[in-house]
Amino acid sequence: DEYQWKGPFYFVQGADPQFGLMKAWTCGDIKNGDDEWGEEIKLAEQAVQAINKLNPKPKFFVLCGDLVHGMPGTQWRKNQAQDLKNVLKNTHHDIPLVFVSGNHDIGNTPTRETIDDYCKNWGDDYFSFWVGGVFFLVLNSQLFFDSSQCPELKQAQDVWLDEQLAVAGKQECKHIIVFQHIPLFLRKPDEDHDYFNLDKSVREEIMEKFHKAGIKAVFAGHYHRNAGGSYKGLEMVVSSAIGYQLGEDTHGLRVVVVTEEKLVHRYYSLNELSSQGIEKELLDVLAKQ
């Protein structure tokens, strides 16, 4: 049923609730300073309340990684994860949740064990789904970043991705949209590699594959700031965090309207979305059948 286009719809993207980062960053101990996350709980609760109030309801709410700050095996990780689950349980039952793995969820250098642990807690680390004639791909970007401890898992995702793109080509979907944690790039396709983007050679291969497959956009987090750019018609959308901000942006969520021809999106602060909801301009785009 979801293979068919039925008219415009929208979804909400969030990233990096990262319970524990605020305290860790403030006290200057990124590895062990994440023993408090009360402020992040409040922000996540505000995000859920804002989404629940939206009318019409979004088709889904996707969280693009770094669900919690505690790396695999660290002291506060289980408590952080449980507290986030307790907040997310209050999301309206008509709004499915989609989870994307981030580096804090499976480790900067993931292993089969850390990925298995993530899958037990949050679901598959990569998968696809359809909504109203649009094909969505959720990827494990950490396998693109450093798969040295689990090369066979990266190979499995690569094979799967090629198969999925072949399926999408045959189905004549309206758009293909990708969710991952680490951006391909922040502003320019040929920018230098650093912590916040993918290695140039890896990036070039993926961008070209996505371009050839007709992928419309990649939505990511990780940067804790808003950014983005484009490559041959492929839009790279980097959304700032629900949690701690590393730049001048505010705690927020991105609303993405999908029409037959294009994607229209806007980043809202949590306060804006809570008090005013979606602006008339986006609602008008949504209403055009």
Side-chain angles (χ1 to χ4, degrees):
D1 188 42
E2 290 297 336
Y3 289 165
Q4 305 306 314
W5 176 256
K6 301 167 192 156
F9 65 88
Y10 81 101
F11 62 86
V12 176
Q13 180 216 8
D16 303 273
Q18 207 159 338
F19 283 19
L21 174 60
M22 280 186 179
K23 172 74 188 303
W25 193 275
T26 306
C27 74
D29 184 358
I30 290 297
K31 285 191 175 171
N32 306 300
D34 58 331
D35 58 344
E36 290 175 20
W37 50 91
E39 193 61 35
E40 283 110 333
I41 288 176
K42 285 182 197 162
L43 290 164
E45 285 174 341
Q46 189 181 0
V48 167
Q49 287 160 7
I51 290 166
N52 285 346
K53 282 200 296 194
L54 294 175
N55 184 29
K57 293 206 168 2
K59 286 287 186 180
F60 59 88
F61 172 32
V62 58
L63 271 172
C64 281
D66 281 1
L67 307 172
V68 300
H69 182 69
M71 287 279 191
T74 56
Q75 185 176 2
W76 304 107
R77 178 180 170 90
K78 279 190 178 171
N79 301 64
Q80 291 167 358
Q82 190 52 57
D83 283 351
L84 178 59
K85 286 178 183 178
N86 290 342
V87 172
L88 294 174
K89 277 176 191 168
N90 295 316
T91 310
H92 193 282
H93 57 78
D94 284 343
I95 305 171
L97 292 165
V98 177
F99 298 108
V100 182
S101 62
N103 57 305
H104 281 264
D105 306 312
I106 58 175
N108 285 320
T109 305
T111 65
R112 184 175 283 280
E113 290 70 34
T114 63
I115 291 174
D116 283 350
D117 180 68
Y118 170 85
C119 292
K120 278 179 202 148
N121 269 289
W122 302 102
D124 291 340
D125 59 319
Y126 59 90
F127 57 96
S128 63
F129 62 98
W130 287 81
V131 175
V134 177
F135 191 49
F136 292 93
L137 292 160
V138 171
L139 300 180
N140 179 344
S141 58
Q142 217 56 39
L143 295 175
F144 299 138
F145 193 83
D146 182 0
S147 62
S148 57
Q149 297 301 306
C150 54
E152 75 287 357
L153 297 185
K154 177 186 185 295
Q155 189 183 3
Q157 178 175 253
D158 288 347
V159 169
W160 172 87
L161 178 57
D162 287 342
E163 289 169 352
Q164 294 296 306
L165 294 177
V167 167
K170 286 174 190 162
Q171 288 285 357
E172 297 181 359
C173 48
K174 286 291 174 195
H175 308 294
I176 310 171
I177 296 171
V178 170
F179 299 120
Q180 58 189 56
H181 179 62
I182 302 178
L184 298 170
F185 58 89
L186 298 174
R187 290 185 174 84
K188 294 180 180 173
D190 60 349
E191 69 196 17
D192 290 340
H193 167 57
D194 66 19
Y195 175 78
F196 288 112
N197 60 19
L198 292 179
D199 181 79
K200 265 187 172 180
S201 61
V202 175
R203 180 197 316 165
E204 283 164 8
E205 186 185 333
I206 296 169
M207 289 190 308
E208 198 53 31
K209 179 182 284 192
F210 285 3
H211 163 64
K212 282 180 178 163
I215 289 173
K216 190 67 125 230
V218 177
F219 289 87
H222 189 52
Y223 192 44
H224 293 251
R225 287 158 280 215
N226 287 309
S230 65
Y231 171 81
K232 296 183 181 177
L234 167 70
E235 189 180 8
M236 181 68 244
V237 184
V238 185
S239 293
S240 197
I242 292 171
Y244 192 67
Q245 302 297 311
L246 292 177
E248 302 300 311
D249 296 295
T250 50
H251 313 283
L253 295 164
R254 189 173 297 277
V255 172
V256 185
V257 176
V258 183
T259 76
E260 202 162 359
E261 296 82 31
K262 60 185 179 178
L263 309 180
V264 186
H265 54 84
R266 187 185 157 200
Y267 185 84
Y268 289 87
S269 75
L270 294 181
N271 288 338
E272 261 184 305
L273 203 58
S274 300
S275 60
Q276 298 162 32
I278 303 173
E279 67 196 307
K280 183 178 183 301
E281 189 183 340
L282 282 190
L283 287 172
D284 286 348
V285 172
L286 202 57
K288 286 178 184 169
Q289 293 300 321

